Amino acid sequence: MSSPLKILWVAAEVFPFAKTGGLADVAGSLPPALKKLGHDVRILLPKYACTKSQPIHSLNQEIEIGKTKATLFAGKLAEDVPVYLVENDAYFDREYLYGEPGSEYSDNAERFSFFCQAALKACKALDFQPDIIHCNDWHTGLIPAYLKAIEDPWYSKIRTLFSIHNLGYQGNFSMDKFPVTALPDRFSGPEGIEFYGQMSFLKSGLIFADALNTVSPRYCKEIQTAGFGMEGILQQRSNSLTGILNGVDYSVWNPATDRLIAENYGPGSLSQKQKCRDALIKKFSLKIDKNTPLLCMITRLSSQKGIDFLMEASEDLKNQCMVVLGEGDSKYENFFRELAKANPDRFAVALTFDDALAHQILAGSDILLMPSIYEPCGLTQMYALKYGTVPIVSSVGGLDDSIQPFDGKTGTGFKFVPDDRKSFKQALQNSMACFADKPGWERLINNGMDMDFSWDNAAQQYSSLFQDIQPNH
Ligand code: ADP
């Protein structure tokens, strides 16, 4: 490896400290993979109500952002990666990370500009002068702007990488709130963080970071033409933008070692997967026989995830058996609730966030459905492969990059054209036909279980990105 670097990895959620989706999984597993490559990586996130269940301790270190104080806490991740947590109870000691399911806290601009400023203050207070601050999604988007604004030479050598995990979430707020960022006025115009009359924390990351990346090669291409209004900026920065497919943490997502599931199994012991299926069927009091595949979805219930499409295609789902785990917009929750009410023997829903249940559903189902309208990377389909659960996915973003259609010999799943009923119906039919052919199904399952999406390769790619933006490169 080229020279080891000091990296501060900043995110709004990090598994197991706080999680609402895939960003937390990445934050919990990429930094340890970078540490294995020799880098000194440390993580920073807010200290929420939910982080209290983790073994953390106060560092008795106070920082001040304007007149508001924060206290630093510390914990650890795999590979002894230090994790710093920013405590300010008024901002972060709340039941949810960003707001009630389907909504946002009204002071998110205040909360996350505070968090970004705290990240920079924390480095100095902890005497950790990073070569790189790795920023993730809009919550951290102001950090590159603050680094441009700051006059203290202590910060002058710090370079930034901004990773786009989901361009659909932009942190756009009324310009009236610009003063809460405490940025100089020159940042408030179109050359700064102004975006169609609002201010955008995401835009700040996109224009002020030294390098940009997103979490799959296909999504990297897609967002340069369909980028939620950011496509122009992304085209301009295309020389600094790359796509790196996320990895999987197999110490967390592996049916051979998973302590949260009914029975452990691997490619050589697939009969044990049947026991996980039996346990799941029992848990939800479903009445289905061996010859019927059990479908599942484990997802945030947001428009991105293709639930509007499923509502239109509900006729195609009518004869299926399915377990859904999800939390989010009430119209989607209602749709699934009604579906389960009308077909209690074949449909079950858990409208909550439950990590253990996510593992059990993945292990106990035959098929995972991901009909996303767009999908930056998607991790659940990669987890499903390891659990011998065959993905049916729309051919977008990372879903397209990570799943190859099964042709009877090679391939790991089934794909359909997003938002296309006919194509969806065909994919469903193909999967049903394949399920009925035992040797074919086993081959398909084994192909998936053989896939290796571990982080090593992606961590190498991040490592060379970091080197590329070093001042002496
Ligand atoms: P996204 O990041 O868009 O939410 P991903 O597929 O990348 O989608 O990652 C989703 C992660 O969140 C997976 O680890 C999945 O198991 C988890 N997840 C999503 N919804 C729930 C839920 N309701 N309960 C438990 N885990 C969930």
Side-chain angles (χ1 to χ4, degrees):
M1 186 194 78
S2 30
S3 51
L5 297 171
K6 287 192 271 177
I7 302 163
L8 184 71
W9 217 94
V10 191
E13 50 185 277
V14 180
F15 182 80
F17 296 90
K19 169 167 171 175
T20 69
L23 169 61
D25 290 358
V26 174
S29 49
L30 172 56
L34 290 167
K35 177 97 186 260
K36 271 202 223 162
L37 293 180
H39 297 299
D40 179 358
V41 194
R42 308 184 188 190
I43 299 180
L44 187 117
L45 80 155
K47 180 170 165 279
Y48 305 102
C50 62
T51 30
K52 285 183 193 149
S53 61
Q54 297 297 316
I56 56 174
H57 60 274
S58 172
L59 290 173
N60 296 319
Q61 181 94 48
E62 229 177 43
I63 51 179
E64 263 182 57
I65 294 98
K67 289 192 184 112
T68 314
K69 289 190 170 67
T71 310
L72 297 176
F73 279 65
K76 239 184 220 171
L77 263 186
E79 302 295 321
D80 274 341
V81 169
V83 177
Y84 301 125
L85 302 106
V86 175
E87 182 190 66
N88 176 295
D89 285 348
Y91 281 146
F92 301 121
D93 189 27
R94 302 186 188 179
E95 187 176 356
Y96 296 98
L97 273 52
Y98 315 119
E100 303 262 331
S103 69
E104 305 274 309
Y105 290 129
S106 60
D107 60 349
N108 275 348
E110 287 85 340
R111 296 171 78 222
F112 288 102
S113 59
F114 178 83
F115 175 58
C116 290
Q117 293 174 83
L120 294 176
K121 286 269 166 86
C123 296
K124 203 165 178 184
L126 296 165
D127 196 21
F128 178 68
Q129 194 171 29
D131 299 298
I132 296 282
I133 299 186
H134 188 162
C135 306
N136 295 279
D137 275 354
W138 73 262
H139 324 96
T140 60
L142 290 185
I143 291 176
Y146 289 130
L147 282 170
K148 299 274 179 222
I150 228 161
E151 277 161 18
D152 183 344
W154 192 87
Y155 293 95
S156 64
K157 286 208 184 101
I158 301 177
R159 296 292 178 266
T160 49
L161 171 69
F162 184 81
S163 290
I164 305 161
H165 297 264
N166 194 331
L167 207 65
Y169 297 86
Q170 305 193 330
N172 296 341
F173 305 98
S174 161
M175 250 315 168
D176 297 345
K177 289 219 167 180
F178 183 76
V180 311
T181 67
L183 279 167
D185 273 349
R186 65 177 194 278
F187 285 82
S188 67
E191 305 298 310
I193 68 172
E194 189 269 345
F195 182 63
Y196 293 104
Q198 292 191 294
M199 64 171 177
S200 171
F201 286 17
L202 176 73
K203 184 189 169 193
S204 169
L206 297 184
I207 57 173
F208 292 118
D210 294 298
L212 307 175
N213 86 294
T214 184
V215 288
S216 71
R218 168 89 193 247
Y219 190 61
C220 181
K221 282 203 192 107
E222 289 171 356
I223 56 177
Q224 294 181 56
T225 51
F228 295 93
M230 299 291 177
E231 47 282 324
I233 296 168
L234 291 165
Q235 280 161 25
Q236 271 169 27
R237 296 222 59 193
S238 62
N239 288 338
S240 315
L241 171 66
T242 50
I244 303 176
L245 191 73
N246 278 337
V248 171
D249 185 345
Y250 290 120
S251 69
V252 179
W253 297 98
N254 181 352
T257 51
D258 192 331
R259 293 212 199 107
L260 300 168
I261 61 179
E263 286 285 334
N264 289 123
Y265 61 91
S269 52
L270 274 175
S271 57
Q272 306 298 92
K273 180 172 169 68
Q274 185 65 38
K275 293 192 180 148
C276 294
R277 188 181 124 122
D278 293 344
L280 189 63
I281 289 173
K282 193 166 166 214
K283 185 177 185 108
F284 285 105
S285 310
L286 297 171
K287 296 196 177 65
I288 63 171
D289 65 29
K290 269 195 169 151
N291 302 320
T292 311
L294 179 57
L295 277 70
C296 75
M297 287 182 74
I298 301 162
T299 184
R300 291 182 294 108
L301 295 176
S302 75
S303 58
Q304 172 202 344
K305 300 295 180 179
I307 322 289
D308 291 296
F309 170 70
L310 281 191
M311 286 159 80
E312 279 165 35
S314 59
E315 191 65 23
D316 305 333
L317 288 179
K318 234 173 58 190
N319 298 318
Q320 304 297 338
C321 301
M322 189 153 148
V323 177
V324 176
L325 170 62
E327 188 176 53
D329 290 2
S330 53
K331 70 170 168 172
Y332 303 136
E333 293 197 349
N334 289 338
F335 165 66
F336 285 120
R337 197 178 283 122
E338 291 304 315
L339 215 54
K341 219 160 117 192
N343 311 278
D345 294 345
R346 289 184 298 106
F347 265 89
V349 291
L351 300 171
T352 176
F353 190 93
D354 185 333
D355 186 49
L357 192 53
H359 286 247
Q360 287 150 17
I361 292 175
L362 215 46
S365 305
D366 301 295
I367 292 173
L368 169 84
L369 191 55
M370 283 183 82
S372 308
I373 300 304
Y374 74 93
E375 193 61 72
C377 178
L379 291 167
T380 318
Q381 81 282 6
M382 296 198 266
Y383 301 159
L385 293 178
K386 196 66 179 172
Y387 282 75
T389 303
V390 174
I392 302 181
V393 302
S394 53
S395 49
V396 290
L399 297 177
D400 201 43
D401 283 337
S402 59
I403 304 299
Q404 302 316 320
F406 185 55
D407 60 7
K409 251 179 158 178
T410 61
T412 53
F414 299 93
K415 292 206 229 190
F416 64 95
V417 179
D419 229 355
D420 182 319
R421 282 272 308 266
K422 208 168 142 208
S423 171
F424 175 60
K425 221 169 156 174
Q426 189 64 56
L428 262 183
Q429 273 169 10
N430 291 348
S431 69
M432 296 299 131
C434 187
F435 184 80
D437 160 36
K438 226 169 178 283
W441 191 253
E442 260 185 31
R443 175 157 204 160
L444 170 56
I445 287 185
N446 279 311
N447 288 352
M449 290 179 110
D450 278 350
M451 294 299 290
D452 181 3
F453 289 105
S454 49
W455 271 107
D456 306 346
N457 179 26
Q460 290 282 2
Q461 293 181 61
Y462 276 101
S463 192
S464 30
L465 260 186
F466 296 148
Q467 305 289 353
D468 288 350
I469 53 176
Q470 285 312 290
N472 52 1
H473 185 78

